[in-house]
Amino acid sequence: MKNFVNNFYKNQALFYKIFLFIVTTVLIVYLLPKGGKFKYEITKGKPWQYENLYAPFDFAILKSDAEIVKEKLQINTNHIPYYTVNKNMVELVRSKVPEQLGKTFTDSILKRKRGQLSGFIDKTLDNIYEYGVLLEGKPADANKLVYLKRGNEAFEVNYDKLLLQDEIRPYLNVQIDKSNLSSLKPELLEFFYNIIKPNVTYDSGFTQKELDSKLSSISYTRGSIERGTIIISKGEIVEGETLDILTSLKSEYESQVWSDSSYNWILFGYSILVCLALLMLLLFIRRNRRDIFDNNVKVSFIFFNILLMVFLTTLVVKFEAKYLYIVPLCILPLTLKAFFDSRLGLFAHVITVLILGFVVPNSYEYMFLQIIAGIVTILTVSELYKRANLFISVGQITFIYILVYFAFTIIQEGNIQDLNSEMFLTFILGGLATLFVQPLIYIYEKLFGLVSDMSLLELSDTNSKLLKELAEKAPGTFHHSLNVANLAEAAANEIGANAMLARVGALYHDIGKMENSTYFSENQTSSVNSHDELSPAESAEVIINHVIHGIEIARKNNLPDRVIDFIRTHHGTSLVYFFYMKEKEMNDKVSTLDFRYPGPIPFSKETAILMMCDSVEAASKSLKEPTTAKIDDFVERIINKQMDEAQFLNANITFKEIQLIKKILKQKLKNIFHLRVEYPE
């Protein structure tokens, strides 16, 4: 048991990676669609590249989306609305006739023309209420049919048979003028206005119910294919009816209800493929970026971003697949490039796109487009901390999306009339969503404790609190750090390293000298040397401790670990040579361990650059009457000594790159000392 605990403790980083690998695989497989995957790629307008395809089972031919939309539109257009007739309203109107006659007409008129009036009123009311009086307005098409419901019965009539309230006056005018009662027109109009009420209302509930019933009865298929029927022959162009049949077969195949056994096999297959994809990513990181592989937080960060993109894409596909390209997938390579490097960003992007191929429709088109967009992202986005660069790159990415979609449409349709304008809007929205990468990087920095070039840009400000304190307490060291920063930035640019990181590391590498600033020659302003009162061993201890003090100050001020690495490594395991030789004069048996920096040695190109630049800049102060030859020999001697001491063994820096750095340092020092080229006499 004890051995198991010890082994677990020793290998806990490895066990964590295995756990992370399994959890990520399970979550991705859970998000993937669980139906069978159609094994043929269907490309409209291209020849069928496979063998003759026969129907593996009976299936129906699905109608296209355009056909379904057309049918629904036709049903909506031809649907007859329902109106309800209130039979009681007519009886109520007629019951008010005697009373209203007495109120409207004088007794003398009623005595002379009661019978004539009653006959005209009855006939007119019969005509008005033959179909009914509408409460609502009628549509523009007066000849359209409607259903009138009287109780449980319904019959068709034209809209123009129904009267609106504002049509009653013209109708009454005509009827009164044609009768012998035109002299009583004002009284008759008043009479009818007081008794006529609408008795027909639009039955929206029943109308919608009937419409829904018709829409739900739409058949989504047209015809069927029997098992064994040949669907397409090898070399035949995929188009027209054949394309519809292939699409129907694919849909039927992927929507089949699988047995428990088949379902488990599908899960097993997905698990193998996802495991392989993630394993390739881990092996790539282990081989090319061992520092990232050994850092569980960074590995977790990479896996989290991949999982996030799979989740967002799956969510959008389940909601509405046509909005697929709104998901800003290029945020993934952008983010990984900001924190790590371009190669890792592109490799992780390709792995993610391969996994998403199981999720999205038209997987080949999607994968081609996203991989090209990812490559463009990696190639175009440089110095992400510059806002203009990000906007330009987002514009280029959006243009690539549109261009590739345009090309695929031409290939598939053979014309540009079928271009979908909504897709262009989707690409633009996806491009705008990519701009969210900047606040996202800030969030990631806080959550995962990582540092990006944008944070480095903030740290490079010499007006920051810590650098101002360094300038006040150790002005000579501050000036030295500025010179080293300029040299390191130039050297990093020359070999393609992270120039911003090298510059920031150089600015902060000597902050530990604030503790005992007068013990360092660049801060001594008088002839009094603080080391005169100390033994060589004590002096060496003070010098060496500036690294420890620097780490403590950096952690107190929350500097990122990537910057603290420069403080730890800028002297590597080199010897405090001056005081060592001074002690050796007094004691031949002196140990070098007491005069050697604790390390570690540089483990990146940037930290190696700082070691070279720091040593060269500091030692250059001792040059008297510098010449081109002296500077060349001086730089060669210092850096070669560091190489002989194996200070760059872990730095992943090549001999060629070191030679380029030497060249840059020689040029910069000649500029500093204002040397001209020495011409032969």
Side-chain angles (χ1 to χ4, degrees):
M1 183 66 183
K2 185 177 180 181
N3 290 335
F4 174 78
V5 172
N6 290 335
N7 288 331
F8 180 82
Y9 181 78
K10 291 178 181 177
N11 299 291
Q12 58 179 325
L14 177 61
F15 287 130
Y16 174 81
K17 289 182 183 68
I18 294 172
F19 172 76
L20 179 68
F21 180 84
I22 294 172
V23 169
T24 307
T25 301
V26 169
L27 290 175
I28 290 176
V29 171
Y30 174 78
L31 292 172
L32 295 179
K34 302 306 185 296
K37 194 71 177 175
F38 194 57
K39 61 182 178 180
Y40 302 109
E41 185 70 32
I42 302 172
T43 307
K44 182 179 178 182
K46 300 288 286 184
W48 184 252
Q49 301 292 333
Y50 313 99
E51 296 299 325
N52 296 351
L53 178 63
Y54 296 87
F57 45 74
D58 296 343
F59 64 95
I61 304 173
L62 299 176
K63 295 177 182 177
S64 66
D65 292 340
E67 289 175 310
I68 298 298
V69 169
K70 184 178 179 180
E71 283 191 36
K72 288 183 177 180
L73 181 62
Q74 191 172 6
I75 289 174
N76 276 290
T77 304
N78 298 331
H79 181 61
I80 301 176
Y82 283 81
Y83 286 81
T84 301
V85 179
N86 186 350
K87 295 186 293 184
N88 297 329
M89 184 61 70
V90 179
E91 296 174 4
L92 180 63
V93 169
R94 289 188 179 278
S95 68
K96 291 183 177 181
V97 170
E99 179 185 352
Q100 194 61 40
L101 279 172
K103 291 180 180 180
T104 307
F105 298 96
T106 61
D107 292 340
S108 59
I109 292 175
L110 289 175
K111 285 180 181 180
R112 287 185 291 108
K113 298 187 176 183
R114 178 181 287 275
Q116 193 176 359
L117 284 170
S118 296
F120 176 78
I121 290 170
D122 287 341
K123 182 180 178 182
T124 303
L125 289 177
D126 287 341
N127 291 336
I128 289 174
Y129 286 108
E130 180 181 2
Y131 296 104
V133 179
L134 270 174
L135 183 62
E136 300 92 354
K138 293 189 293 185
D141 185 4
N143 293 320
K144 186 173 176 65
L145 292 175
V146 299
Y147 281 118
L148 284 184
K149 289 174 57 184
R150 286 196 175 102
N152 294 327
E153 297 180 355
F155 57 93
E156 291 182 358
V157 297
N158 286 340
Y159 269 120
D160 60 357
K161 297 293 185 182
L162 303 174
L163 281 174
L164 285 174
Q165 284 184 300
D166 57 1
E167 293 176 340
I168 292 176
R169 183 183 181 90
Y171 176 79
L172 291 174
N173 284 332
V174 172
Q175 298 302 318
I176 294 172
D177 290 341
K178 290 195 306 185
S179 70
N180 297 325
L181 299 171
S182 56
S183 60
L184 298 175
K185 188 174 183 178
E187 290 84 355
L188 283 170
L189 289 174
E190 180 185 351
F191 171 82
F192 282 111
Y193 282 157
N194 288 332
I195 66 169
I196 292 176
K197 303 292 182 185
N199 70 325
V200 179
T201 56
Y202 174 62
D203 193 338
S204 59
F206 195 81
T207 300
Q208 189 61 43
K209 182 180 177 182
E210 287 294 303
L211 178 60
D212 291 341
S213 177
K214 290 180 180 178
L215 291 174
S216 63
S217 65
I218 290 177
S219 173
Y220 286 82
T221 63
R222 48 177 177 82
S224 62
I225 301 295
E226 294 183 359
R227 179 179 181 179
T229 304
I230 186 167
I231 296 175
I232 189 170
S233 303
K234 185 175 182 179
E236 185 179 340
I237 302 298
V238 180
E239 58 184 357
E241 183 73 9
T242 304
L243 175 62
D244 294 339
I245 295 173
L246 285 171
T247 305
S248 301
L249 175 60
K250 179 180 179 181
S251 177
E252 182 69 22
Y253 188 85
E254 293 181 349
S255 64
Q256 284 184 7
V257 177
W258 298 89
S259 64
D260 290 342
S261 175
S262 300
Y263 182 80
N264 291 334
W265 278 112
I266 290 171
L267 285 182
F268 181 65
Y270 273 137
S271 300
I272 291 175
L273 295 175
V274 173
C275 279
L276 281 174
L278 295 180
L279 182 61
M280 293 305 104
L281 178 61
L282 275 177
L283 291 176
F284 175 85
I285 297 172
R286 186 175 182 273
R287 181 186 178 98
N288 297 283
R289 290 299 303 269
R290 187 69 192 221
D291 58 316
I292 296 175
F293 183 81
D294 292 336
N295 189 318
N296 285 336
V297 173
K298 293 179 179 179
V299 176
S300 301
F301 172 74
I302 295 168
F303 276 52
F304 171 79
N305 275 274
I306 293 174
L307 186 59
L308 177 63
M309 289 301 153
V310 174
F311 171 73
L312 290 177
T313 305
T314 307
L315 195 67
V316 172
V317 169
K318 287 182 178 179
F319 173 72
E320 185 58 69
K322 67 180 182 180
Y323 299 131
L324 176 63
Y325 291 101
I326 290 180
V327 179
L329 196 64
C330 288
I331 279 183
L332 177 62
L334 274 176
T335 305
L336 296 184
K337 182 179 179 181
F339 288 111
F340 307 121
D341 61 55
S342 300
R343 285 192 303 166
L344 177 56
L346 181 58
F347 196 89
H349 178 73
V350 171
I351 292 294
T352 306
V353 171
L354 290 176
I355 293 173
L356 290 176
F358 299 123
V359 178
V360 300
N362 300 321
S363 56
Y364 175 77
E365 178 181 337
Y366 176 85
M367 291 165 64
F368 183 91
L369 194 152
Q370 293 291 11
I371 289 175
I372 293 296
I375 294 172
V376 170
T377 302
I378 293 297
L379 294 179
T380 60
V381 179
S382 60
E383 299 177 327
L384 191 59
Y385 53 86
K386 294 183 179 179
R387 291 170 295 179
N389 288 356
L390 180 60
F391 278 99
I392 292 170
S393 296
V394 166
Q396 292 171 332
I397 294 166
T398 305
F399 173 73
I400 288 297
Y401 274 132
I402 293 173
L403 186 63
V404 174
Y405 168 71
F406 178 79
F408 267 103
T409 303
I410 292 175
I411 292 172
Q412 295 169 355
E413 305 296 340
N415 59 68
I416 62 173
Q417 281 75 31
D418 293 325
L419 285 171
N420 187 352
S421 58
E422 286 187 7
M423 288 299 295
F424 295 119
L425 179 61
T426 302
F427 293 139
I428 293 171
L429 291 175
L432 292 175
T434 307
L435 294 174
F436 184 68
V437 69
Q438 282 197 324
L440 187 64
I441 286 173
Y442 177 79
I443 294 170
Y444 281 153
E445 286 178 336
K446 301 304 177 186
L447 288 177
F448 292 91
L450 301 172
V451 58
S452 68
D453 284 353
M454 285 181 277
S455 293
L456 293 176
L457 180 64
E458 295 175 5
L459 291 170
S460 67
D461 183 8
T462 53
N463 288 317
S464 65
K465 179 183 176 183
L466 189 55
L467 290 180
K468 287 177 74 173
E469 185 180 355
L470 176 64
E472 291 173 3
K473 292 183 177 180
T477 299
F478 177 72
H479 185 261
H480 159 73
S481 298
L482 286 177
N483 290 337
V484 174
N486 292 332
L487 293 175
E489 184 176 21
N493 280 324
E494 183 68 19
I495 67 169
N498 190 331
M500 180 60 69
L501 178 61
R503 179 175 184 82
V504 172
L507 287 173
Y508 290 90
H509 79 284
D510 268 346
I511 55 175
K513 291 182 179 179
M514 288 191 289
E515 290 292 321
N516 299 294
S517 60
T518 57
Y519 284 89
F520 299 91
S521 58
E522 67 265 25
N523 299 312
Q524 294 171 356
T525 56
S526 65
S527 59
V528 178
N529 190 335
S530 301
H531 289 284
D532 292 343
E533 300 176 0
L534 302 177
S535 68
E538 290 173 331
S539 295
E541 184 179 2
V542 171
I543 299 297
I544 291 171
N545 281 343
H546 86 273
V547 173
I548 308 300
H549 294 150
I551 295 172
E552 292 172 353
I553 294 170
R555 295 201 183 282
K556 185 178 178 182
N557 286 270
N558 298 316
L559 289 185
D561 287 338
R562 288 177 79 184
V563 176
I564 295 175
D565 288 341
F566 287 87
I567 301 173
R568 295 166 56 218
T569 62
H570 73 278
H571 284 295
T573 56
S574 61
L575 198 64
V576 185
Y577 190 75
F578 177 81
F579 291 109
Y580 170 72
M581 294 305 295
K582 196 172 180 181
E583 178 70 17
K584 195 171 184 180
E585 291 175 1
M586 298 182 291
N587 180 11
D588 291 337
K589 297 181 180 180
V590 61
S591 172
T592 59
L593 294 177
D594 297 331
F595 293 85
R596 194 174 291 280
Y597 284 96
I601 60 176
F603 46 77
S604 67
K605 290 182 180 181
E606 290 79 14
T607 51
I609 288 170
L610 175 62
M611 173 179 277
M612 295 183 226
C613 295
D614 180 43
S615 300
V616 168
E617 202 285 331
S620 68
K621 300 294 190 299
S622 63
L623 282 175
K624 297 177 181 178
E625 298 181 0
T627 63
T628 300
K630 282 185 179 180
I631 288 176
D632 289 348
D633 178 67
F634 167 78
V635 171
E636 290 285 346
R637 184 161 36 85
I638 289 178
I639 296 180
N640 287 342
K641 182 181 178 183
Q642 292 173 338
M643 292 174 65
D644 292 339
E645 293 176 354
Q647 296 295 322
F648 307 134
L649 194 61
N650 297 334
N652 191 29
I653 191 168
T654 66
F655 182 76
K656 180 180 178 181
E657 288 170 335
I658 294 175
Q659 295 303 113
L660 290 173
I661 293 170
K662 287 180 181 179
K663 182 186 75 173
I664 287 295
L665 293 179
K666 292 171 185 177
Q667 290 175 355
K668 291 293 180 182
L669 287 179
K670 290 170 188 176
N671 291 336
I672 291 171
F673 290 110
H674 305 291
L675 297 181
R676 295 186 178 182
V677 177
E678 296 178 0
Y679 295 100
E681 295 181 0

